Amino acid sequence: MATSNTPTKKRDTWGSKLGFVMAAAGSAVGLGNIWKFPYTAGESGGGAFVAIYLVFVIFIGFSVMLTEFAIGRRAAVSAASAFKSTDRRWTFVGVIGVVSGLLIMGFYPVVGGWSIAYIFKVSTGLLNTPEAIGDSFGGFISNPVQPLMWMGLYLLLNVFIVVKGISGGIEKAGKILMPLLFAILILVAVKGLSLPGASAGLEFLFKPDFSKVDSSVVLAAMGQAFFSLSLGMGCMMTYGSYLKKKENLVQTTAMVTAMDTGVAILAGVAMFPAMFAFNMEPSAGPGLVFVVVPQLFAEMGGLIGLMLALLFFVGLSVAALTSSVSLLEVVVSYLIDEKGMKRRTAVISSSIFMAMLCVFSSLSLGGVGPTLFDTGAFDIFDLLTDKIFLAVGGMLICIFAGWRLNRSDLEKEITNDGEISFPLFGLWYNLVKFVIPAAIAIVAFTGIKAGFDSGKGEIMLIGVGIIGIAALLSKKL
Ligand code: PHE
């Protein structure tokens, strides 16, 4: 199928139903699940964070994803154009989504690059000296040059896939490689659980201690839910715009949410028991998976350990790729639909911009480059997107669906003109119209307030300011 988005031609659609579910799950399952979820859970006290995260996934994540699919399929254009064609005052929500895509791609490829680098590090003897694995990671990410080269390679892979277009590139990659990753994770988890002392890790992950919870933990859990499910920035909307009219949106949403959450929990089970067995700190930070997993396989030793470690980082790199291509696609489809660019030009120009942001992010980890309120570029991009833009974006998408769109149009879209029954429609509608916007507003407000103690509140507030300005300029966007 050719990739063409000119309004006169029929828009591309996904080759098959499984193809769509796998591609949407491919977008959702990524570094967010395997790299971010375990270390955020570790830093946020474990079980209670995980419990709150699950509540957000079920009550907010599911509903927001269904909303994005419905709006996207109904409009059949990129996110910003979907808002614009209904009401120009709402264009900013789509544009903020594009900005989120750019900013997430300002740090995601850095970590994606680490993952590819680890394929090579593992094959060139990283596992031979288990005691040096931790220091080796620290030395690697703070090196000014090496990580940049890997990041560059990672971004090039993205460019290649996205230039090829929807069903050609993304769908095929997702179909083959997602199940492989799942299998490797199960193996890692089984190995971790077999170590002596591993049960303390399970307890840490699943036994909630709510005394450790404050508003920053709640905001972190909400941000994690949005980030992991690829919500709040029009990504699932854009994917939905390529979806055929006869597919069952509710079922698709349930499958994608379940897969994404399953992989995150599995990644937790793969990592924490091993960490406790190795006497490592659960709050080890962003290096967690790059230290624990190699250590685990070094422990295993021999050719099997080596092969599994290799497969793990291949799988992680692929999972990261199927997510970052979806981020790039949001920006690219905006440039195609709204700015009339050719696909190739759109991909190349946006990736050059992303590469520049990534240079700042990567250098900031070695303490080089500009800071804002004592925070480096990597953390700024993460804070702005994960904590503010995605959640507030999700809130605005819900308000748009609940208050600007027609209830009966939404019902028609979700039930495929009455062909599919969705008995919970009323519940979903009321969640989207009232409960979710209010819940997000409260969590964001209290979370930003708590963030002032650690110096992060200021940056999150700037994020809110940017959204406000975009809203005011909406008609000009
Ligand atoms: N969900 C992806 C992950 O977990 C990241 C992502 C966020 C992708 C937002 C698209 C949109 O890695």
Side-chain angles (χ1 to χ4, degrees):
M1 202 180 335
T3 305
S4 158
N5 297 298
T6 39
T8 45
K9 289 189 196 150
K10 196 172 172 289
R11 195 174 175 81
D12 266 0
T13 50
W14 298 92
S16 67
K17 174 173 177 152
L18 185 68
F20 178 77
V21 172
M22 289 315 249
S27 161
V29 176
L31 294 170
N33 310 57
I34 298 164
W35 162 73
K36 206 171 202 295
F37 173 77
Y39 92 75
T40 313
E43 282 178 341
S44 315
F49 170 88
V50 175
I52 299 170
Y53 163 76
L54 289 176
V55 170
F56 282 130
V57 166
I58 295 166
F59 288 100
I60 298 188
F62 178 90
S63 306
V64 175
M65 191 181 293
L66 182 55
T67 312
E68 288 204 24
F69 282 155
I71 299 179
R73 188 174 68 172
R74 181 169 171 271
V77 280
S78 70
S81 320
F83 288 110
K84 197 175 190 172
S85 59
T86 312
D87 185 340
R88 281 211 71 133
R89 284 172 302 180
W90 283 85
T91 314
F92 79 101
V93 182
V95 173
I96 288 290
V98 173
V99 174
S100 308
L102 284 170
L103 291 181
I104 296 177
M105 284 301 275
F107 68 89
Y108 207 93
V110 173
V111 185
W114 298 349
S115 179
I116 301 189
Y118 265 66
I119 303 177
F120 288 88
K121 283 182 183 291
V122 166
S123 36
T124 51
L126 179 77
L127 306 188
N128 298 341
T129 42
E131 54 305 334
I133 288 175
D135 290 343
S136 144
F137 177 77
F140 169 62
I141 64 161
S142 53
N143 179 304
V145 188
Q146 269 193 32
L148 290 184
M149 289 163 38
W150 293 108
M151 176 276 287
L153 173 64
Y154 180 86
L155 253 179
L156 275 180
L157 291 171
N158 282 274
V159 170
F160 179 73
I161 299 177
V162 177
V163 164
K164 283 188 75 189
I166 281 294
S167 48
I170 306 172
E171 194 172 329
K172 271 189 208 124
K175 246 190 220 165
I176 306 166
L177 297 159
M178 293 282 301
L180 176 72
L181 174 72
F182 201 72
I184 302 170
L185 264 181
I186 292 180
L187 275 176
V188 181
V190 169
K191 170 66 191 163
L193 285 170
S194 71
L195 296 172
S199 59
L202 281 187
E203 205 164 287
F204 176 81
L205 200 58
F206 293 120
K207 207 166 155 199
D209 172 2
F210 286 102
S211 67
K212 289 189 189 147
V213 171
D214 59 19
S215 335
S216 334
V217 170
V218 180
L219 179 59
M222 186 168 84
Q224 179 62 32
F226 275 93
F227 186 87
S228 187
L229 292 166
S230 305
L231 297 177
M233 55 163 288
C235 178
M236 290 303 182
M237 239 164 159
T238 305
Y239 270 38
S241 73
Y242 298 104
L243 193 53
K244 287 192 183 103
K245 287 289 176 201
K246 63 176 198 320
E247 306 295 4
N248 184 333
L249 295 184
V250 180
Q251 214 180 56
T252 306
T253 307
M255 283 164 75
V256 175
T257 311
M259 281 194 230
D260 184 70
T261 312
V263 174
I265 299 291
L266 191 57
V269 175
M271 252 150 287
F272 285 101
M275 283 179 67
F276 277 78
F278 294 147
N279 274 325
M280 283 157 63
E281 279 298 312
S283 56
L288 196 69
V289 28
F290 295 95
V291 178
V292 177
V293 172
Q295 198 124 333
L296 195 73
F297 289 122
E299 177 90 357
M300 220 178 212
L303 195 59
I304 298 198
L306 181 70
M307 290 313 291
L308 287 178
L310 269 180
L311 277 178
F312 177 83
F313 285 108
V314 171
L316 183 62
S317 307
V318 169
L321 269 175
T322 56
S323 298
S324 52
V325 293
S326 75
L327 285 157
L328 185 52
E329 183 66 30
V330 171
V331 180
V332 166
S333 63
Y334 168 77
L335 294 175
I336 295 173
D337 286 357
E338 286 294 314
K339 304 287 169 212
M341 277 190 197
K342 288 216 171 66
R343 176 166 277 268
R344 184 178 289 267
T345 324
V347 174
I348 292 172
S349 51
S350 46
S351 357
I352 290 174
F353 185 74
M354 291 162 182
M356 290 186 330
L357 296 182
C358 285
V359 170
F360 283 109
S361 294
S362 187
L363 292 178
S364 75
L365 296 173
V368 181
T371 57
L372 188 65
F373 298 104
D374 272 341
T375 312
F378 191 102
D379 294 332
I380 295 176
F381 299 157
D382 176 55
L383 269 173
L384 282 178
T385 50
D386 173 288
K387 304 283 186 314
I388 299 299
F389 286 179
L390 299 188
V392 175
M395 175 176 101
L396 293 167
I397 290 171
C398 287
I399 297 177
F400 176 76
W403 298 87
R404 188 65 191 76
L405 297 181
N406 229 318
R407 182 181 165 129
S408 64
D409 286 347
L410 284 168
E411 185 157 15
K412 270 192 212 142
E413 189 64 48
I414 290 178
T415 60
N416 296 357
D417 288 326
E419 268 174 35
I420 291 166
S421 91
F422 179 38
L424 298 179
F425 179 82
L427 174 65
W428 167 81
Y429 186 76
N430 285 306
L431 277 176
V432 165
K433 186 162 184 167
F434 304 105
V435 182
I436 295 177
I440 293 177
I442 294 168
V443 174
F445 179 80
T446 54
I448 293 173
K449 219 166 125 226
F452 281 103
D453 296 338
S454 57
K456 312 280 184 233
E458 288 87 345
I459 292 170
M460 296 195 264
L461 203 58
I462 291 176
V464 176
I466 293 174
I467 299 180
I469 293 170
L472 291 175
L473 296 177
S474 201
K475 283 193 184 154
K476 299 205 176 65
L477 291 173

